[in-house]
Amino acid sequence: MTTTVEHPALAPTTLGGLALRNRYAVAPMTRVSAAPDGTPTGEMADYYTEYARGGFGLVLSEGIYPDTAASQGYFNQPGLARDEHVAGWRVVTAGVRAAGGRMIAQLMHAGAISQGNPHRDHTVGPSAVQPRGEKMPAYGGSGPWAEPRALTTAEIDDVVEGFAAAARRARQAGFDGVEVHAANGYLLDQFLTDYTNRRTDSYGGSVDGRIRLTARVVTAVAEAVPDLVTGVRLSQTKVNDFTYRWPGGRDDAEVIFAAVAEAGAGYLHIASEGRNWLETAKLSDGETITALARKVTGLPVIANGGMHDLAQAHEVLTGGHADVLSIGHGALANPDLPARVAASEPLQEFDRAMVSPTVTVANARRWRESRQA
């Protein structure tokens, strides 16, 4: 007699009160496939629905810009700043829900690393510090980043309100939750990062000051949509700096995690910027940053980075490191990944040609069609 032991990722769970059919989540992946005005398209609805149809319990949207000031990061990035955006996203969320999934809107202000914003001809940040690295060709950019203009305190208030207003639109659009994007080098992370934040007011200085804006945004979102789950995405690494780590190590991490939990977060999502979880998760004392986040906050934690690897995913879930797994490249290659795991079917390898020369949904579709021909 033989028995089949299901992978722990297939077990149901809850995320900040949101019931999920399993622990597999589609990671936020910028696709620059919206209409020029930021309205989601029918092709985007098909793209997101395919993941829910393939068994993913949770679908996290790509970064959505919340306002028509300085938040947009890329041309053809979707927004939640206007009524047209709400209507477009409503089609997307309806498709995901009809296929048995749940969907969370990730709200993102690009700040100093905006490389495509038709609303402004300048960028903003915590301080007038030019970002490291160069713009990303796969997202339509080239050359060095511009030096941003430092935000005033009044403009910071506008940023907070922009997130709250977009959260209310997310509810109208049928999302099940809102994730505050405070990772990967975007605006909120720029405030948290010591070398991009040289402010001398209450938003700068120590880690307690540098996390203040993120905490304010989390509170504003949680209060704007108390009936939805509010999460926050954090990372040490960035799209323009893969080597950065929080300078205070574990001490900084504890302050950061406690601050967002106290601010009203219902879960934490720890990103690894396209790298394997183990490369970015280990602290100097050997504990993982995701396990520390669970310990400090008592909240569910989403881990990211190579979670399509079944052995690693098993260890992350059973070893107390995280509660949910977010998958990027593995999901692109296997939009039916949970169904494949349940059926013990092999997974397809990710092919970078899927996101070349740009990361659009259309390019991925053409890649699949070429493979099927």
Side-chain angles (χ1 to χ4, degrees):
M1 177 179 178
T2 61
T3 59
T4 300
V5 178
E6 283 198 338
H7 195 284
L10 298 173
T13 190
T14 59
L15 189 71
L18 179 64
L20 304 176
R21 61 184 172 186
N22 57 45
R23 296 167 187 264
Y24 277 124
V26 178
M29 291 180 280
T30 299
R31 303 318 306 271
V32 291
S33 298
D37 70 350
T39 301
T41 64
E43 187 170 48
M44 288 174 61
D46 293 341
Y47 162 77
Y48 281 114
T49 299
E50 185 178 18
Y51 289 119
R53 195 178 295 121
F56 280 93
L58 177 64
V59 177
L60 293 157
S61 82
E62 61 204 281
I64 302 171
Y65 66 86
D67 61 55
T68 55
S71 66
Q72 186 170 344
Y74 308 101
F75 292 120
N76 296 103
Q77 178 187 0
L80 261 173
R82 294 198 287 260
D83 290 344
E84 297 89 341
H85 299 163
V86 172
W89 279 116
R90 195 174 289 131
V91 177
V92 179
T93 60
V96 170
R97 184 172 291 108
R102 295 292 178 263
M103 190 166 187
I104 289 176
Q106 187 194 72
L107 300 182
M108 178 193 110
H109 192 305
I113 60 170
S114 170
Q115 61 181 47
N117 184 351
H119 310 292
R120 291 291 185 274
D121 60 2
H122 64 273
T123 57
V124 298
S127 305
V129 176
Q130 183 178 15
R132 295 179 178 177
E134 293 190 344
K135 297 176 183 177
M136 295 170 282
Y139 298 93
S142 63
W145 308 95
E147 180 180 295
R149 179 177 58 75
L151 288 164
T152 66
T153 53
E155 288 172 328
I156 289 174
D157 291 342
D158 291 340
V159 167
V160 175
E161 175 50 34
F163 273 93
R168 289 188 284 269
R169 295 188 193 97
R171 181 208 283 132
Q172 296 170 11
F175 284 98
D176 298 291
V178 174
E179 181 172 286
V180 174
H181 196 351
N184 305 126
Y186 296 107
L187 181 69
L188 301 186
D189 188 39
Q190 291 158 28
F191 270 81
L192 179 55
T193 300
D194 59 352
Y195 68 79
T196 53
N197 185 345
R198 298 178 181 172
R199 300 180 73 94
T200 57
D201 60 9
S202 61
Y203 294 101
S206 70
V207 66
D208 303 82
R210 300 196 312 273
I211 193 61
R212 189 180 309 278
L213 178 55
T214 298
R216 279 195 63 193
V217 169
V218 170
T219 296
V221 168
E223 291 178 349
V225 288
D227 50 327
L228 302 185
V229 59
T230 296
V232 59
R233 193 181 210 213
L234 298 160
S235 72
Q236 300 192 84
T237 55
K238 314 172 191 308
V239 295
N240 62 324
D241 185 351
F242 296 142
T243 64
Y244 183 78
R245 299 292 186 272
W246 293 330
R250 183 189 184 94
D251 291 342
D252 278 10
E254 290 181 347
V255 171
I256 291 163
F257 297 152
V260 296
E262 184 178 351
Y267 73 85
L268 279 67
H269 183 182
I270 311 299
S272 62
E273 194 44 62
R275 271 130 183 84
N276 186 281
W277 170 75
L278 284 174
E279 289 184 43
T280 55
K282 285 290 182 72
L283 295 165
S284 59
D285 61 2
E287 186 172 22
T288 62
I289 196 168
T290 49
L292 179 63
R294 294 178 82 236
K295 183 186 300 183
V296 169
T297 67
L299 297 172
V301 169
I302 302 177
N304 168 255
M307 293 302 160
H308 59 279
D309 182 298
L310 297 184
Q312 176 174 269
H314 191 286
E315 168 59 23
V316 168
L317 292 175
T318 61
H321 300 285
D323 305 274
V324 175
L325 314 170
S326 76
I327 300 176
H329 287 165
L332 285 175
N334 302 274
D336 58 346
L337 185 147
R340 285 175 177 266
V341 174
S344 298
E345 294 179 357
L347 301 182
Q348 300 295 318
E349 291 289 329
F350 171 71
D351 183 351
R352 190 155 293 280
M354 294 181 69
V355 291
S356 297
T358 55
V359 297
T360 62
V361 172
N363 277 345
R365 173 178 50 78
R366 284 191 287 268
W367 177 88
R368 285 201 180 94
E369 290 172 351
S370 71
R371 293 289 294 264
Q372 294 167 357

